[in-house]
C-alpha cells in the first residue's frame, strides 16, 4: 500500500516548493484536497529503464508489424539523434 499525505489545496499552494523538495528528495506522495474532494496527486514522475521496458514487452508481446513500426520510428528520429550526437552523415 502506498501512503499519500493529504494536504489542502491552500496548503499545497502556500508550500509548493517544500512539497516539490519532499517529492524529489524523500520520494513523498501527496493527495491534494479541495472542499473535501481529491483534486490532484503530487508524486515523483515514473522512471523508465531497460528492466521496465523488458517487463512491458513481456506483458504486451509485440504484434507482427512491430519491427516495422520500430524501424519507422528510428528513421523518423535518426536526423535529430545524429544532430545531437554530432554524427551527421552529410558532414565532410
Amino acid at each position: 500500500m502506498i501512503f499519500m499525505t493529504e494536504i489542502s489545496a491552500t496548503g499545497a499552494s502556500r508550500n509548493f516548493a517544500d512539497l516539490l523538495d519532499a517529492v524529489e528528495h524523500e520520494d513523498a506522495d501527496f493527495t491534494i484536497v479541495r472542499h473535501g474532494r481529491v483534486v490532484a496527486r503530487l508524486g515523483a514522475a515514473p522512471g523508465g529503464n531497460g528492466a521496465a521496458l523488458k517487463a512491458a514487452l513481456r506483458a504486451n508481446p509485440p504484434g507482427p508489424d512491430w519491427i516495422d513500426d520500430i524501424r519507422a520510428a528510428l528513421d523518423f528520429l535518426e536526423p535529430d539523434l545524429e544532430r545531437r550526437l554530432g554524427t551527421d552523415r552529410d558532414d565532410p
Side-chain angles (χ1 to χ4, degrees), residues 15-28:
N15 300 291
F16 193 66
D18 292 334
L19 295 178
L20 288 179
D21 286 343
V23 168
E24 182 179 13
H25 301 294
E26 301 167 24
D27 202 28

Side-chain angles (χ1 to χ4, degrees), residues 9-73:
T10 301
S13 174
R14 289 181 180 157
N15 300 291
F16 193 66
D18 292 334
L19 295 178
L20 288 179
D21 286 343
V23 168
E24 182 179 13
H25 301 294
E26 301 167 24
D27 202 28
D29 292 297
F30 298 93
T31 300
I32 302 169
V33 178
R34 178 185 280 159
H35 305 297
R37 289 186 22 241
V38 173
V39 294
R41 291 193 177 16
L42 178 64
N49 58 32
L53 176 58
K54 286 180 185 178
L57 289 173
R58 279 190 206 102
N60 303 286
D65 297 328
W66 179 79
I67 193 65
D68 294 331
D69 294 339
I70 295 296
R71 286 187 180 120

